[in-house]
Amino acid sequence: MTQRAAFWRGYIDTAPFVLIIIPYSVLFGVVARDAGLDVLQTFSMSVLVIAGASQFTALALLQDNAPVLIALLAALAVNLRMAMYSAALVPHVGHTSLRTRALMAYVMVDQAFAVAVRTYEDNPGMTRPEKVAYYFGCMALICPLWYGFTLIGALVGTAIPSEFSLDFAVPVCFIALLGPLLRTLPHVLAALVAAVAALAFAWVPWSLGLIIAAFCGIVTGAQTELYLRRRAERGLA
């Protein structure tokens, strides 16, 4: 496979997410305008942050009159998943230059990351240049759509009928991402504990229960992996 072919393969592999990204980004534009941001502020937030979950989190907290510091910390906490994504990508694309890695970090989004990592794991014969080209092919479709349709959502605002229920895109998007990645017991337990904790701590003000749930899920997954590793080592001893 050439680098050009790898790029277009990544582009095509992320195409199904168009059905989710378009309403998701339009919804953010609409919600941001409802929250009091103007068109420029809404578009700038998507370009600078380029992370839907943390953007929605910040807006929700600001609408609840939470302190700006709390909104920023919550958005940062939600976005910490990108650090885990980066760690997972290091074995595949960590050899590239600092400039390339910085660009990769900027355009990293959930959908493209999930597709890229799955492809790398399923195709161990891919060369390093092919992996880099594939990664950028994945991002090349998702990112422009996020920018463009956020702007459209900000411009049309309340002109979109509420009957369209664009908010369906948010849970569907993350279900589509999460499902294929639940391959091991630690993954399943982490997701289960996080889901239960999110419901249990739904009463916590400013949606901070989500952060608690995320922490519970991370701890559960890490401890399960540690337990399985130690049991495997005892079996080999």
Side-chain angles (χ1 to χ4, degrees):
M1 183 192 305
T2 64
Q3 292 183 49
R4 181 184 181 89
F7 177 91
W8 287 113
R9 179 183 172 187
Y11 193 91
I12 293 172
D13 285 351
T14 52
F17 283 105
V18 169
L19 299 176
I20 301 299
I21 290 297
I22 290 178
Y24 193 12
S25 51
V26 170
L27 176 63
F28 175 74
V30 173
V31 171
R33 291 303 307 280
D34 288 343
L37 275 64
D38 60 31
V39 173
L40 179 59
Q41 290 171 333
T42 300
F43 182 69
S44 298
M45 188 176 185
S46 276
V47 172
L48 294 174
V49 180
I50 191 171
S54 62
Q55 290 176 222
F56 275 105
T57 298
L59 282 180
L61 291 174
L62 291 175
Q63 285 180 305
D64 289 342
N65 297 316
V68 174
L69 180 60
I70 292 294
L72 292 175
L73 290 176
L76 178 62
V78 171
N79 241 19
L80 283 177
R81 70 189 188 282
M82 297 298 174
M84 293 185 287
Y85 292 174
S86 298
L89 287 170
V90 167
H92 305 288
V93 296
H95 65 283
T96 59
S97 66
L98 178 60
R99 180 182 302 178
T100 302
R101 280 181 280 126
L103 179 58
M104 286 180 165
Y106 167 69
V107 298
M108 185 186 297
V109 294
D110 299 282
Q111 298 83 2
F113 162 78
V115 172
V117 167
R118 178 77 179 265
T119 300
Y120 296 158
E121 293 177 351
D122 292 344
N123 298 273
M126 289 182 72
T127 65
R128 288 182 172 183
E130 288 171 355
K131 289 181 177 181
V132 174
Y134 183 87
Y135 180 92
F136 281 115
C138 293
M139 306 301 169
L141 178 62
I142 299 297
C143 295
L145 287 177
W146 178 254
Y147 300 148
F149 282 92
T150 291
L151 180 60
I152 290 174
L155 290 173
V156 300
T158 56
I160 299 178
S162 58
E163 291 79 9
F164 281 19
S165 299
L166 294 177
D167 52 348
F168 84 93
V170 179
V172 169
C173 178
F174 283 95
I175 290 173
L177 290 174
L178 182 63
L181 297 178
L182 298 180
R183 299 182 176 184
T184 66
L185 180 61
H187 293 162
V188 173
L189 290 180
L192 180 61
V193 170
V196 172
L199 295 174
F201 293 101
W203 56 270
V204 178
W206 301 329
S207 300
L208 295 180
L210 291 176
I211 298 177
I212 298 174
F215 179 76
C216 292
I218 291 172
V219 171
T220 299
Q223 289 300 313
T224 303
E225 285 192 349
L226 181 61
Y227 168 76
L228 293 176
R229 186 180 306 152
R230 287 176 176 173
R231 191 174 71 171
E233 290 174 352
R234 287 197 300 268
L236 293 174

